[in-house]
């Protein structure tokens, strides 16, 4: 098996040899944050947006940022260079660090920093052509979904729910309103308008959130951020998913019911093409 070099706490090491102490608060409490950045042709896509979110995530849980922006870029660069693939997906994981188990923040603790990369796995040609099946479920996660937390049990259960129902994603609703999927943001299209839930504590603001806004503006499409009911999702002309690895992906069915005509629609085609252009720019 390929054993890529990863970065852990100051050193590059083969993945198979990278170890953390069992008292790491990431292991004990899920006390940390992460970031996933797509790399095309060895260049970070939307680097500044990902860096800004990384810094926000650290600040939001009171972890002192251990590196400057330039240091982070150099560390990520090292990991990318060590991997043979040109298109990758870099994963950054920062925990509060290692300490005797006690819930509140320990004093004088050094964050654990881990960076790995893998070849990026993009949706298949069939998923692009036909769209993907999704299922709906109640959003039972906590109320700080805006934090890119490594505590992902709610998302793990939502992803498993999708797999067990032969679907690619679980589209979640809280109190009858759309939030997001287990690891993607969700958008609806109605009468040519693109709509997504507001940027609040109920969803993670994906890096593609701002990109969708930009691509809509550039393409002359109306974009609205507002609360979206379950009924609106089921009555939408198109439903789209976005994430670092899905890019923009059309949803063909939800709970077995076709979305619009049940095939990827024209707004999907426009946004997907615009996304590919943005990547190549
Ligand atoms: N997930 N919402 C959730 C809950 C997510 O986990 C993700 C991304 C997104 C989309 O964010 P972005 O556009 O920045 O990828 C929305 C990543 C890819 C993951 O956990 O692997």
């Amino acid at each position: 098996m390929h054993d890529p070099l990863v970065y852990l706490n100051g050193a590059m090491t083969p993945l198979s040899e990278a170890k953390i102490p069992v008292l790491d608060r990431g292991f004990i409490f899920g006390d940390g944050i992460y970031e996933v950045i797509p790399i095309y042709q060895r260049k970070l896509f939307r680097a500044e947006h990902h860096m800004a979110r990384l810094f926000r995530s650290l600040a939001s849980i009171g972890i002192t940022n251990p590196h400057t922006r330039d240091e982070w870029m150099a560390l990520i660069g090292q990991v990318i260079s060590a991997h043979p693939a040109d298109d990758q997906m870099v994963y950054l994981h920062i925990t509060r660090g290692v300490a005797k188990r006690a819930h509140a923040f320990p004093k004088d603790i050094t964050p654990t920093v881990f960076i790995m990369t893998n070849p990026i796995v993009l949706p298949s040609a069939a998923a692009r052509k036909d769209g993907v099946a999704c299922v709906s479920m109640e959003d039972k996660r906590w109320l700080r979904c805006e934090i890119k937390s490594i505590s992902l049990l709610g998302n793990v259960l939502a992803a498993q729910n999708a797999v067990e129902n032969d679907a690619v994603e679980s589209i979640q609703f809280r109190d009858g309103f759309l939030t997001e999927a287990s690891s993607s943001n969700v958008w609806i299209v109605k009468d040519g308008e693109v709509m997504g839930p507001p940027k609040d504590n109920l969803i993670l603001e994906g890096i593609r959130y701002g990109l969708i806004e930009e691509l809509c503006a550039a393409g002359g499409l109306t974009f609205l951020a507002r609360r979206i009911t379950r009924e609106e999702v089921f009555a939408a002309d198109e439903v789209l998913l976005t994430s670092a690895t899905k890019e923009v992906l059309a949803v063909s069915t939800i709970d077995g019911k076709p979305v619009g005509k049940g095939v990827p629609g024209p707004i999907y085609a426009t946004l997907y093409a615009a996304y590919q252009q943005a990547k190549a720019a």
Side-chain angles (χ1 to χ4, degrees):
M1 202 192 93
H2 178 56
D3 193 14
L5 287 174
V6 300
Y7 173 86
L8 180 63
N9 293 335
M12 294 290 284
T13 166
L15 178 61
S16 62
E17 288 166 27
K19 303 273 188 298
I20 56 150
V22 289
L23 284 180
D24 192 284
R25 288 177 62 96
F27 181 61
I28 297 285
F29 293 117
D31 183 1
I33 56 92
Y34 76 108
E35 193 55 50
V36 178
I37 312 173
I39 310 293
Y40 300 109
Q41 296 301 308
R42 298 193 174 272
K43 279 189 8 223
L44 282 72
F45 183 55
R46 307 283 282 186
E48 295 316 320
H49 299 80
H50 281 282
M51 283 297 122
R53 184 171 66 183
L54 174 68
F55 288 13
R56 273 204 317 275
S57 300
L58 289 168
S60 72
I61 67 163
I63 294 182
T64 305
N65 189 343
H67 296 297
T68 63
R69 179 210 168 274
D70 290 351
E71 287 167 358
W72 280 113
M73 292 303 281
L75 295 176
I76 296 167
Q78 255 185 1
V79 176
I80 296 173
S81 309
H83 199 286
D86 288 338
D87 295 345
Q88 306 175 20
M89 183 186 75
V90 168
Y91 176 83
L92 290 88
H93 181 115
I94 299 100
T95 77
R96 198 174 307 281
V98 180
K100 182 168 176 289
R101 185 181 180 279
H103 288 62
F105 303 173
K107 289 200 172 51
D108 305 323
I109 185 168
T110 306
T112 298
V113 177
F114 172 57
I115 308 174
M116 69 173 168
T117 191
N118 283 291
I120 194 165
V121 179
L122 295 171
S124 65
R128 288 263 160 250
K129 183 172 146 289
D130 302 333
V132 294
C134 290
V135 285
S136 71
M137 70 182 280
E138 184 65 21
D139 192 338
K140 294 194 179 145
R141 300 172 303 158
W142 71 333
L143 292 171
R144 298 296 308 276
C145 297
E146 83 281 13
I147 302 174
K148 203 160 171 64
S149 162
I150 60 168
S151 305
L152 285 172
L153 186 55
N155 305 65
V156 165
L157 295 178
Q160 183 60 19
N161 174 64
V163 168
E164 287 173 7
N165 289 287
D166 299 321
V168 163
E169 265 289 24
S170 288
I171 296 180
Q172 301 175 102
F173 295 89
R174 197 187 284 273
D175 303 327
F177 291 96
L178 173 66
T179 56
E180 60 184 342
S182 73
S183 62
S184 356
N185 288 117
V186 182
W187 316 93
I188 71 164
V189 179
K190 189 71 183 177
D191 299 329
E193 289 185 340
V194 181
M195 288 166 270
K199 298 172 191 169
D200 60 14
N201 61 309
L202 301 182
I203 64 163
L204 179 80
E205 183 188 335
I207 298 307
R208 270 127 289 277
Y209 195 122
L211 184 56
I212 287 289
E213 288 178 300
E214 284 174 31
L215 298 180
C216 284
L221 297 168
T222 304
F223 175 85
L224 293 171
R226 66 161 175 83
R227 307 248 283 163
I228 296 163
T229 65
R230 187 182 167 88
E231 291 68 36
E232 287 181 297
V233 172
F234 278 88
D237 300 328
E238 299 182 40
V239 175
L240 312 176
L241 304 173
T242 59
S243 78
T245 47
K246 294 183 188 76
E247 302 185 332
V248 191
L249 191 58
V251 176
S252 55
T253 60
I254 307 176
D255 298 340
K257 301 180 189 77
V259 173
K261 296 194 173 73
V263 290
I267 303 284
Y268 162 73
T270 302
L271 290 174
Y272 177 69
Y275 195 104
Q276 299 312 308
Q277 271 188 351
K279 270 164 63 172

